[in-house]
Amino acid sequence: MGKKDKYEVQKFTGIPVEPDASGKYQLKTDQQGKTKLHTWRTGKHTKGKYKVPGQLMLTENNLTVVILSAEPMAFKDRHSETPLQRFLTVKVTDDVLQQGMSILKEQRK
């Protein structure tokens, strides 16, 4: 593989979201009422740019996810994570971001 085929890989931790009745994105909970963190990475064909925590992204299964953290990832480790499809320009409200951040803190202990 030539050097030009390499691209910068970032790993993103986020929580799936869904719009509520008023169209505002809320954190999605599972059947047990739990909110789970998941990770994705940028792929070769990922569209858009990551700017800030709270930004939304679309996974390859068209799941909308709020990004809570981004960290560099070694190119060689990229296959351990699923690539995401695109970054959206939409962000969640501050209260939803705070909610997500406290879950991130909690689950990373």
Side-chain angles (χ1 to χ4, degrees), residues 4-31:
K4 68 178 195 315
D5 293 331
K6 273 198 174 182
Y7 52 93
E8 200 184 326
V9 182
Q10 272 184 302
K11 178 177 169 179
F12 297 94
T13 303
I15 296 175
V17 291
E18 54 194 351
D20 62 15
S22 62
K24 286 195 174 71
Y25 284 98
Q26 303 296 339
L27 301 178
K28 210 175 190 170
T29 52
D30 63 18
Q31 283 82 8

Side-chain angles (χ1 to χ4, degrees), residues 24-42:
K24 286 195 174 71
Y25 284 98
Q26 303 296 339
L27 301 178
K28 210 175 190 170
T29 52
D30 63 18
Q31 283 82 8
Q32 286 80 44
K34 293 211 182 345
T35 311
K36 287 199 183 74
L37 293 170
H38 296 277
T39 52
W40 289 269
R41 66 169 172 89
T42 38

Side-chain angles (χ1 to χ4, degrees), residues 90-103:
V90 186
K91 293 196 311 220
V92 293
T93 54
D94 287 346
D95 56 323
V96 175
L97 177 57
Q98 290 315 315
Q99 236 183 318
M101 287 306 207
S102 56
I103 292 167

Side-chain angles (χ1 to χ4, degrees), residues 50-64:
Y50 168 69
K51 294 183 179 71
V52 290
Q55 184 177 348
L56 297 178
M57 67 179 192
L58 267 188
T59 69
E60 290 190 324
N61 308 332
N62 291 319
L63 185 67
T64 308

